[in-house]
């Protein structure tokens, strides 16, 4: 049992008993509570400073590891960047030495962009990855849209033309040329690889390994299959009718005989380096009514407008010829 | 000023000032401290359960930022990866076919893809995935870059060799274009001087008037220059390397001496009629690995005299390839 407490009342000169009213009690509890909260905050603050929860420790470890890895990777990446820059330059230099022309990006993927860090200007901001991701995605979609937009137009044109003529007129590239990387030189004035004087180059040169398949570019009759040690070397002439003839030169082997009927895409021979040739390549010419025309204008069937545009540019460059 | 409290001492029947002994006070304060600690821990746990500790939230944010940095790095590496792929295509499709190099082995290119789970030190983190992905991607890029460097070394050597070959082989006409050809290579019915029948003519004759400039048809070293006891009269022989030699006979004047290095288009002498000859002409031979070849297979009759002159006078600007 609690002993009562008294307060001396100087007015009455009496000891008054201290009453513990409910209000006082509440006040006290409240005070205690407030005090404990303030203390808790203080403790909490000190506690947080000094001690980590297991989750925090894990997070800290994680952060430390991530930071370390990031630093290491970033350092290596800087080295890689230099190596890649170097490789790109070597690539360009080799291109200049071998083709004697200004290098062009290898694929449509890189067309018009190029350079090591294409998204460089977007880096260095927090969350910039989102921007980069989005930009990359937009770029990709843009290209895809461009590719798809052509087919309808083409269909309409196809329907309008005469079927027979369409099958016969040369309309594809004579060798498989994904990425258009095989065009070395087009029709026009070119420096001769040996004589070093400007000569008119009548056809398009496709570089390709010896033995690469050569396709008939339209339905035709084989007009000529000839072996030769100079000039065109082993070559084939196809007569497509409608005034069109195509010539395939420097072949290693033939796959057709004179007088044979061939259809577009049929393998007629294989790439070689016979005749006046400095490297394995196919020299391809198109003649209309006996006169040479630019073969680049006859590749419309298997190319998108983008690719076609690029091909025209590639063929127009003043690269060295190989014959 | 605190109000003094009193308690009633029922034994002595008097009011005594209420004093708390120091020991008790200390115990009380200590108990209070413990209670407050306990309470604050409870608060702390409750709050962290409900909202997470502020520190943890902060750390999680930081981890999130790191993850974004990794994502950015991945985007950058993806770009490098594409660039490497373009360079690879350039190498395989553009360069190697021209230089007749075999493609680099796919296995070498991919180089033992992924040495399974070498990233034990990166495992067990919430962000292990991004760290391992980035590490693997980078090592993949580094490996491919290394293979590419080696490959380009090979390509560079081959392209140097190829260009050297083009500069060295006897690939032009030894006299200007307007000089007509005479007796051709092969068995001739009757030797013009000896009158013998069925003796092979081992070269190509050019009806060059006395004193016509005779040019080296490719770069090389003069191995013989002087009087021939075998009927060539004054003659010059050039070793072009790559198994090729060329010979210029019946000269009236020799402009080079044994051991001289010449490039294509250098003046070797003037035509004449020395040795076994019926009149001024040039006898020109091409020898490949000791066997005489038809010289007509080594040049193209497409140049005008003016172009021929351009070719000869431009030779010094192309010396960088002759080395």
């Amino acid at each position: 049992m609690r002993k009562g407490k008294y307060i001396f009342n100087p007015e009455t000169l009496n000891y008054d008993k201290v009453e513990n009213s409910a209000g006082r009690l509440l006040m006290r509890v409240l005070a205690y509570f407030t005090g404990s909260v303030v203390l808790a905050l203080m403790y909490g603050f000190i506690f947080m400073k000094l001690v980590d929860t297991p989750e925090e420790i894990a997070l800290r470890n994680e952060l430390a590891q991530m930071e370390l890895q990031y630093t290491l990777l970033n350092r290596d990446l800087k080295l890689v960047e230099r190596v890649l820059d170097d490789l790109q330059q070597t690539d360009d230099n080799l291109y200049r030495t071998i083709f004697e022309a200004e290098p062009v990006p290898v694929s449509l993927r890189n067309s018009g962009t190029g350079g090591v860090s294409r998204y460089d200007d977007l880096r260095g901001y927090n969350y910039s990855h989102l921007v980069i991701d989005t930009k990359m995605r937009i770029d990709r979609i843009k290209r895809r849209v461009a590719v798809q937009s052509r087919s309808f137009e083409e269909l309409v044109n196809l329907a309008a033309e005469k079927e027979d003529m369409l099958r016969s007129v040369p309309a594809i590239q004579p060798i498989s040329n994904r990425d258009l990387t095989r065009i070395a030189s087009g029709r026009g004035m070119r420096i001769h690889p040996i004589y070093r004087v400007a000569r008119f180059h009548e056809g398009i040169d496709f570089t390709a390994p010896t033995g690469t398949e050569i396709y008939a570019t339209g339905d035709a009759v084989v007009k000529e299959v000839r072996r030769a040690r100079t000039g065109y070397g082993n070559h084939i002439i196809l007569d497509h009718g409608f005034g069109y003839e195509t010539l395939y030169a420097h072949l290693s082997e033939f796959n057709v005989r004179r007088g044979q009927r061939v259809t577009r895409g049929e393998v007629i021979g294989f790439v070689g380096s016979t005749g006046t040739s400095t490297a394995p390549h196919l020299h391809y010419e198109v003649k209309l009514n006996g006169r040479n025309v630019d073969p680049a204008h006859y590749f419309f069937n298997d190319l998108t407008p983008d690719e076609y545009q690029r091909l025209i540019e590639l063929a127009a460059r003043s690269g060295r010829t190989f014959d | 000023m605190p109000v003094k409290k009193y308690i009633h001492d029922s034994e002595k029947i008097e009011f005594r000032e209420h004093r708390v002994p120091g020991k008790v006070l200390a115990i009380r304060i200590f108990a209070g401290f413990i209670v407050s600690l306990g309470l604050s821990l409870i608060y702390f746990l409750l709050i962290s359960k409900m909202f997470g500790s502020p520190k943890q939230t902060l750390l999680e944010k930081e981890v999130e930022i790191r993850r974004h940095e990794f994502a950015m790095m991945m985007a950058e590496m993806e770009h490098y990866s594409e660039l490497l792929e373009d360079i690879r295509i350039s190498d395989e499709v553009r360069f190697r076919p021209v230089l007749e190099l075999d493609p680099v082995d796919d296995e070498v290119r991919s180089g033992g893809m992924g040495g399974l789970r070498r990233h034990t030190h990166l495992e067990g983190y919430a962000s292990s995935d991004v760290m391992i992905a980035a590490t693997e991607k980078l090592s993949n890029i580094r490996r491919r870059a290394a293979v590419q460097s080696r490959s380009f070394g090979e390509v560079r050597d081959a392209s140097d060799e190829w260009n050297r070959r083009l500069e060295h082989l006897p690939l032009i006409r030894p006299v200007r274009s307007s000089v007509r050809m005479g007796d051709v290579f092969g068995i001739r019915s009757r030797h013009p001087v000896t009158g013998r029948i069925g003796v092979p003519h081992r070269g190509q004759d050019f009806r060059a008037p006395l004193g016509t400039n005779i040019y080296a048809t490719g770069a090389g070293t003069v191995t013989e220059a002087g009087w021939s006891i075998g009927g060539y009269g004054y003659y010059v022989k050039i070793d072009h390397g790559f198994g090729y030699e060329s010979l210029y006979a019946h000269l009236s004047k020799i402009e080079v001496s044994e051991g001289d290095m010449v490039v294509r288009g250098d003046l070797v002498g003037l035509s004449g009629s020395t040795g076994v000859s019926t009149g001024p002409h040039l006898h020109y031979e091409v020898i490949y690995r000791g066997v005489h070849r038809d010289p007509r297979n080594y040049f193209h009759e497409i140049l005008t005299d003016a172009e021929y002159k351009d070719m000869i006078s431009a030779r010094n600007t192309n010396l960088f390839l002759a080395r």
Side-chain angles (χ1 to χ4, degrees):
Chain A
M1 170 123 195
R2 252 186 89 163
K3 272 188 242 170
K5 280 183 190 148
Y6 303 84
I7 296 173
F8 183 71
N9 190 335
E11 269 168 40
T12 58
L13 300 179
N14 263 338
Y15 290 99
D16 295 344
K17 191 153 190 181
V18 179
E19 297 294 335
N20 277 334
S21 68
R24 278 179 73 96
L25 206 70
L26 197 73
M27 284 281 282
R28 265 201 194 177
V29 169
L30 215 70
Y32 262 104
F33 179 70
T34 314
S36 75
V37 168
V38 170
L39 272 175
L41 274 177
M42 263 170 59
Y43 294 149
F45 192 71
I46 295 164
F47 191 67
M48 258 173 62
K49 275 266 180 263
L50 296 179
V51 192
D52 280 338
T53 65
E55 289 90 9
E56 286 167 6
I57 292 171
L59 278 169
R60 258 187 221 292
N61 282 340
E62 174 118 26
L63 261 181
Q65 183 65 262
M66 285 180 96
E67 232 156 288
L68 174 70
Q69 290 308 319
Y70 187 82
T71 315
L72 290 177
L73 286 175
N74 215 25
R75 198 193 57 200
D76 287 355
L77 199 58
K78 287 278 166 299
L79 293 176
V80 165
E81 202 173 327
R82 226 174 304 152
V83 172
L84 286 186
D85 256 339
D86 212 51
L87 280 177
Q88 204 171 25
Q89 267 171 34
T90 310
D91 185 32
D92 289 351
N93 286 338
L94 283 170
Y95 192 88
R96 284 190 196 98
T97 333
I98 297 172
F99 295 94
E100 303 192 323
E102 273 314 294
V104 281
V106 77
S107 62
L108 276 172
R109 183 168 57 218
N110 255 359
S111 64
T113 52
V116 168
S117 262
R118 160 165 50 141
Y119 301 102
D120 237 1
D121 49 336
L122 296 177
R123 285 169 52 205
Y125 301 99
N126 274 346
Y127 304 100
S128 50
H129 71 287
L130 285 176
V131 186
I132 296 175
D133 274 358
T134 313
K135 192 170 182 312
M136 283 163 93
R137 215 168 304 141
I138 290 173
D139 283 359
R140 232 174 288 142
I141 290 168
K142 264 201 227 157
R143 263 168 248 156
R144 213 173 302 147
V145 167
V147 167
Q148 277 166 1
S149 64
R150 58 128 192 169
S151 31
F152 297 104
E153 237 175 284
E154 226 184 32
L155 275 176
V156 175
N157 288 345
L158 273 172
E161 300 277 351
K162 275 186 236 154
E163 229 183 281
D164 195 25
M165 184 167 170
L166 268 175
R167 271 203 309 266
S168 300
V169 170
I172 61 169
Q173 295 178 79
I175 63 169
S176 161
N177 188 20
R178 242 180 311 142
D179 291 338
L180 306 177
T181 37
R182 297 204 177 282
I183 291 183
S185 185
R187 185 169 185 265
M189 289 303 276
R190 296 289 183 270
I191 298 293
H192 191 277
I194 293 153
Y195 303 150
R196 304 253 150 221
V197 293
R199 300 289 310 172
F200 197 81
H201 187 238
E202 287 289 5
I204 286 189
D205 283 350
F206 294 90
T207 56
T210 299
T212 302
E213 292 180 340
I214 298 169
Y215 311 122
T217 53
D219 290 7
V221 176
V222 179
K223 185 183 173 190
E224 198 176 307
V225 175
R226 180 165 296 176
R227 289 190 185 274
R229 304 186 67 142
T230 56
Y232 288 135
N234 301 338
H235 63 274
I236 294 173
I237 296 174
L238 298 185
D239 185 353
H240 299 271
F242 304 98
Y244 285 102
E245 279 183 12
T246 51
L247 176 135
Y248 312 77
H250 310 299
L251 277 53
S252 60
E253 285 300 330
F254 302 118
N255 201 38
V256 289
R257 275 187 315 253
R258 204 183 142 163
Q260 189 179 329
R261 289 204 67 87
V262 293
T263 53
R264 177 175 297 151
E266 203 172 318
V267 177
I268 55 170
F270 304 94
V271 171
S273 189
T274 54
T276 314
S277 166
T278 57
H281 77 287
L282 169 69
H283 174 89
Y284 174 67
E285 288 182 18
V286 177
K287 279 195 170 84
L288 175 57
N289 300 322
R291 299 176 66 163
N292 274 94
V293 290
D294 193 341
H297 297 159
Y298 292 86
F299 295 148
F300 43 78
N301 246 19
D302 55 350
L303 295 176
T304 66
D306 264 12
E307 289 170 331
Y308 186 71
Q309 183 59 36
R310 195 172 136 77
L311 182 141
I312 296 291
E313 282 164 23
L314 285 171
R317 286 170 325 124
S318 50
R320 89 154 88 182
T321 66
F322 288 85
D323 47 26
Chain B
M1 175 148 175
V3 183
K4 276 183 186 165
K5 284 180 184 164
Y6 303 84
I7 51 170
H8 187 254
D9 191 334
S10 45
E11 268 169 42
K12 290 181 186 164
I13 317 182
E14 62 174 11
F15 286 97
R16 194 152 47 82
E17 202 177 325
H18 176 69
R19 272 195 200 141
V20 182
K23 217 173 164 184
V24 176
L25 201 69
I27 290 173
R28 269 199 197 169
I29 289 173
F30 185 68
F33 176 67
I34 297 294
V35 169
S36 71
L37 255 187
L39 275 174
S40 61
L41 201 70
I42 290 168
Y43 298 151
F44 193 72
L45 286 179
L46 275 175
I47 292 171
S48 348
K49 268 276 172 296
M50 285 193 292
F51 306 108
S53 86
K55 197 162 57 164
Q56 192 176 336
T57 317
L58 224 75
L59 285 169
E60 276 165 357
K61 271 252 163 63
E62 254 182 90
V63 168
E64 200 46 39
I65 288 172
R66 284 279 167 212
R67 286 183 75 96
H68 287 158
E69 283 179 348
F70 269 94
M72 256 159 68
M73 189 188 263
M74 279 300 262
E76 195 178 343
M77 289 198 284
E78 189 45 50
H79 174 58
Y80 290 163
S81 187
E82 281 181 16
L83 183 75
L84 263 175
E85 176 60 10
D86 282 355
I87 292 176
R88 185 192 69 79
I89 292 174
S90 181
D91 183 1
E92 294 292 354
V93 180
R94 288 162 152 180
F95 303 154
R96 288 180 171 265
V98 171
L99 304 168
E100 298 183 71
L101 289 172
D102 290 332
V104 175
D105 221 5
D106 275 350
E107 247 168 72
V108 175
R109 285 267 187 211
S110 55
M113 272 306 252
L116 281 154
R117 302 287 96 183
R118 291 158 303 169
H119 310 291
T120 41
H121 65 295
L122 295 179
E123 275 164 14
Y125 296 97
S127 302
S128 289
D129 54 340
V130 292
M131 289 192 282
I132 290 175
T135 309
E136 278 182 348
K137 184 111 196 149
L138 184 63
S139 69
N140 170 279
I141 287 174
R142 292 177 70 161
R143 205 173 44 233
R144 282 159 62 202
V147 172
Q148 192 57 60
S149 287
R150 274 199 300 280
S151 167
F152 270 171
E154 200 188 333
V155 170
R156 197 183 334 218
D157 290 349
S159 100
D160 286 353
E161 188 69 0
W162 180 63
N163 275 319
R164 266 173 53 80
R165 197 180 153 84
L166 284 189
E167 289 300 314
H168 280 75
L169 261 46
L171 294 178
I172 64 166
R173 220 175 193 266
V175 289
R176 64 172 187 270
S177 306
S178 58
V179 173
R180 304 256 301 272
M181 287 200 264
D183 281 1
V184 297
F185 177 89
I187 308 291
R188 57 180 162 198
S189 46
R190 190 171 177 281
H191 193 279
V193 179
T194 61
R196 291 226 305 252
I197 292 168
V199 177
H201 185 220
R202 306 203 296 180
Q204 172 67 47
D205 287 349
F206 294 88
R207 294 179 187 157
L210 189 72
T212 305
N213 287 348
I214 308 298
Y215 301 104
T217 53
T221 312
V222 176
T223 49
E224 290 167 43
W227 181 260
S228 154
I229 48 165
Y232 284 140
Y234 287 113
Y235 78 109
V236 170
K237 194 175 189 183
I238 297 172
D239 183 358
H240 300 283
F242 304 97
Y244 282 94
E245 290 170 296
S246 62
L247 185 144
Y248 316 78
H250 311 305
L251 306 178
S252 61
K253 188 162 188 278
I254 294 177
E255 298 282 355
V256 291
S257 34
E258 225 174 281
D260 279 1
M261 305 273 278
V262 292
V263 298
R264 178 175 296 145
D266 276 355
L267 187 66
V268 297
L270 303 179
S271 67
S273 189
T274 55
V276 184
S277 166
T278 53
H281 76 286
L282 168 71
H283 171 83
Y284 173 62
E285 292 181 7
V286 171
I287 304 142
Y288 178 60
R289 295 192 171 156
V291 180
H292 285 78
R293 299 298 190 101
D294 187 345
R296 284 177 305 173
N297 288 343
Y298 292 87
F299 56 84
H300 217 178
E301 298 277 46
I302 56 170
L303 299 183
T304 63
D305 263 3
E307 285 172 335
Y308 188 89
K309 203 173 153 199
D310 283 349
M311 170 177 76
I312 296 299
S313 57
R315 73 188 187 282
N316 288 324
T317 61
N318 298 313
L319 277 183
F320 73 99
L321 290 172
R323 272 184 289 264

